[in-house]
Amino acid sequence: MSKGSETQPRERFSSRMGFLLISAGCAVGLGNVWRFPYITGEYGGAAFIIMYLVFLALFALPILVMEFTIGRASQKGAGRAFEVLEPEGSKWHRLKWLNFAGTYILMMFYTTVAGWMLAFTVKSAQGLFVGMSAEEVGTVFTNMLANPGEQLVYMALVVIIGLACTSAGLKNGVERISKAMMSCFSSSSLSWPCAPSRFRALAPAWPST
């Protein structure tokens, strides 16, 4: 059997829209949601956005194209892509360990922050924030940070939910859930300006320029 040969049919996206929504879900990170507006207001507004787009085109876009190219040519994940594409006798496959390390470090961050978000979702459903000011909500968050046990429970729940999604497969798991979540994200983003003032008051105050 040649190196990189398939042992079973590889699952594919059911539609181009599913691929685009998953790609958008991966690209739109938490920094884009909560940090980008803050940094934009702090560093000049439109001038910052122009420079952001310039560097996005110079650095991020070429990396994105290379990543798509490697994945499309190898039809493998990060762990096997270089083994399939590298010339015979070369050592490019050693780069996969950097991919693994980066993924684990990234997941340490995302599972923790997603746990915070899940905790606040539960607290919101319980009505904990009703009548609270933004400062009081901030105190709830600070108290949660001082409670490692609570954070560990919610982080574990996030990991379990992620495992359940991925174990269902690409089409029935990741793609289907991403479509629903990205649709909800788009709807909530568009409806936020119309949200009641008690909800908008929870948003952080952006510094004036």
Side-chain angles (χ1 to χ4, degrees):
M1 184 180 295
S2 61
K3 182 173 65 174
S5 60
E6 295 285 354
T7 58
Q8 60 182 2
R10 182 179 177 86
E11 192 174 9
R12 298 178 180 274
F13 292 100
S14 61
S15 65
R16 184 179 296 272
M17 180 58 66
F19 169 74
L20 292 176
L21 289 177
I22 289 179
S23 299
C26 294
V28 181
L30 294 174
N32 297 98
V33 176
W34 72 20
R35 184 170 175 78
F36 180 77
Y38 175 87
I39 295 298
T40 301
E42 185 175 4
Y43 291 104
F48 173 81
I49 293 178
I50 292 174
M51 295 306 300
Y52 174 82
L53 293 176
V54 169
F55 283 98
L56 193 67
L58 290 177
F59 294 100
L61 185 58
I63 295 175
L64 178 65
V65 172
M66 286 188 289
E67 184 173 348
F68 281 162
T69 302
I70 292 173
R72 190 177 184 87
S74 66
Q75 295 294 302
K76 298 289 184 181
R80 295 291 307 280
F82 289 107
E83 295 180 0
V84 174
L85 298 177
E86 68 178 0
E88 192 70 29
S90 63
K91 305 298 182 182
W92 285 98
H93 63 277
R94 293 181 178 177
L95 291 176
K96 68 181 180 182
W97 299 110
L98 293 177
N99 291 331
F100 290 152
T103 300
Y104 276 106
I105 293 172
L106 189 64
M107 286 300 101
M108 291 177 190
F109 166 76
Y110 271 107
T111 53
T112 301
V113 177
W116 297 346
M117 298 168 67
L118 181 59
F120 263 58
T121 300
V122 172
K123 295 177 190 297
S124 298
Q126 294 173 341
L128 179 63
F129 302 130
V130 175
M132 281 190 175
S133 65
E135 290 75 16
E136 291 172 328
V137 174
T139 301
V140 173
F141 179 70
T142 302
N143 293 337
M144 184 181 67
L145 293 183
N147 187 349
E150 181 181 7
Q151 295 185 75
L152 183 61
V153 169
Y154 283 108
M155 184 184 71
L157 288 175
V158 169
V159 173
I160 293 172
I161 293 172
L163 288 174
C165 294
T166 54
S167 64
L170 179 61
K171 294 180 182 179
N172 296 325
V174 178
E175 182 177 355
R176 177 179 295 180
I177 294 171
S178 294
K179 286 181 178 180
M181 294 186 67
M182 288 303 294
S183 298
C184 292
F185 174 75
S186 300
S187 300
S188 62
S189 298
L190 293 175
S191 62
W192 178 255
C194 303
S197 58
R198 64 178 179 273
F199 294 129
R200 287 186 278 110
L202 300 179
W206 299 349
S208 58
T209 56

